[in-house]
């Protein structure tokens, strides 16, 4: 059984739990408290990055980076298309999530709602908020005429973007100002096998 190093409040870790739930993949979950500096010794020994999520396969292969883990797990399933251009569209939105959404929105949420120490990042917060606002506007524009982000159906691109954006309220955003994004969030929640961020299996 694969082993997932996991922190429940992390949107990046939630992506992996959500996809595994929807594909019916069981895993051993190892909770790592990223609010403290420590990491299990075997975790540190197997990959240089301290970040979560991390998936370790039965043959010892170590997969870091949430997008790479989603891509690996979804291969051969309807959540990752076979068509070459459609796969590239999926990756395009996953890269956008990683470059423009997550580094800003998740960072603002982290300091405002998880660490609860916004005063330690006052200058960055203004930047993160404006960059998040621009990224959310891009997502909202895409959803004008599109039900999903890529391939005209629910894919791992939707999972990646959902897990970061559904908690935008915790980063100081009012999602009611994004009606298409709000409708899409609901569409994602209604997909078979959906689990919430804090649902335990
Ligand atoms: N690009 C990475 C980002 C991972 C990341 O930032 N993980 C955070 C939790 S959401 C983390 O482990 N932070 C603790 C640390 O860096 O020590 C991914 O998508 O997996």
């Amino acid at each position: 059984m694969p082993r997932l190093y996991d922190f429940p409040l992390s949107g990046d870790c939630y992506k992996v739990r959500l996809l595994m739930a929807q594909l019916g993949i069981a895993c051993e979950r190892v909770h790592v408290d990223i609010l403290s500096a420590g990491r299990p010794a075997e975790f540190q020994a197997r990959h240089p990055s301290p970040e979560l999520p991390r998936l370790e396969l039965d043959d010892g292969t170590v997969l870091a980076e949430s997008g790479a883990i989603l891509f690996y797990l979804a291969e051969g399933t309807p959540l990752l298309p076979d068509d070459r251009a459609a796969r590239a569209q999926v990756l395009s939105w996953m890269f956008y999530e990683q470059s423009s959404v997550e580094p800003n929105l998740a960072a603002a949420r982290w300091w405002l709602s998880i660490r609860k120490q916004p005063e330690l990042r006052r200058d960055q917060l203004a930047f993160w908020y404006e960059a998040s606002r621009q990224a959310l506007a891009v997502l909202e524009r895409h959803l004008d005429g599109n039900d999903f982000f890529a391939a005209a159906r629910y894919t791992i691109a939707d999972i990646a973007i959902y897990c970061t954006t559904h908690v935008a309220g915790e980063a100081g955003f009012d999602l009611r100002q994004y009606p298409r994004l709000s409708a899409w969030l609901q569409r994602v929640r209604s997909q078979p096998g959906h689990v919430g961020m804090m649902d335990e299996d």
Side-chain angles (χ1 to χ4, degrees):
M1 181 182 296
R3 177 185 294 167
L4 175 65
Y5 289 92
D6 183 35
F7 180 71
L9 288 171
S10 153
D12 290 319
C13 293
Y14 174 37
K15 293 171 191 174
V16 181
R17 295 198 306 276
L18 175 54
L19 177 63
M20 284 182 145
Q22 293 189 304
L23 294 179
I25 299 171
C27 71
E28 175 196 352
R29 268 170 74 177
V30 180
H31 181 277
V32 180
D33 181 7
I34 57 175
L35 294 166
S36 72
R39 298 282 184 277
E42 83 279 1
F43 179 95
Q44 291 183 310
R46 291 192 191 129
H47 193 282
S49 170
E51 292 183 343
L52 304 179
R54 183 192 295 176
L55 189 69
E56 294 187 0
L57 308 181
D58 293 340
D59 67 1
T61 304
V62 176
L63 297 177
E65 291 292 330
S66 59
I69 298 171
L70 295 187
F71 196 78
Y72 170 80
L73 292 173
E75 186 72 64
T77 79
L79 297 186
L80 177 59
D82 292 331
D83 176 76
R84 186 177 175 187
R87 288 165 81 86
Q89 280 183 330
V90 168
L91 285 178
S92 161
W93 282 108
M94 291 173 74
F95 291 160
Y96 186 74
E97 187 270 340
Q98 283 286 289
S99 62
S100 300
V101 186
E102 196 263 5
N104 302 304
L105 198 61
R109 172 177 174 256
W110 176 258
W111 288 97
L112 278 173
S113 297
I114 299 176
R115 292 286 298 259
K116 297 187 171 58
Q117 290 173 303
E119 67 282 359
L120 297 184
R121 291 292 185 277
R122 196 169 301 287
D123 294 344
Q124 286 115 306
L125 274 166
F127 175 86
W128 289 332
Y129 190 83
E130 177 53 25
S132 299
R133 199 188 59 72
Q134 289 180 25
L136 290 172
V138 167
L139 302 181
E140 182 77 4
R141 278 204 297 280
H142 175 76
L143 291 167
D144 185 4
N146 291 298
D147 281 348
F148 295 103
F149 276 92
R153 66 175 201 249
Y154 179 66
T155 69
I156 53 173
D158 297 286
I159 292 181
I161 296 171
Y162 175 85
C163 291
T164 302
T165 57
H166 81 294
V167 284
E170 296 175 20
F173 285 88
D174 180 357
L175 280 171
R176 287 172 303 187
Q177 292 176 5
Y178 301 87
R180 295 187 198 101
L181 191 67
S182 297
W184 166 82
L185 289 171
Q186 196 47 47
R187 210 170 294 132
V188 171
R189 273 184 213 109
S190 69
Q191 296 301 309
H194 183 85
V195 291
M197 183 179 231
M198 301 309 286
D199 291 350
E200 290 298 324
D201 47 18

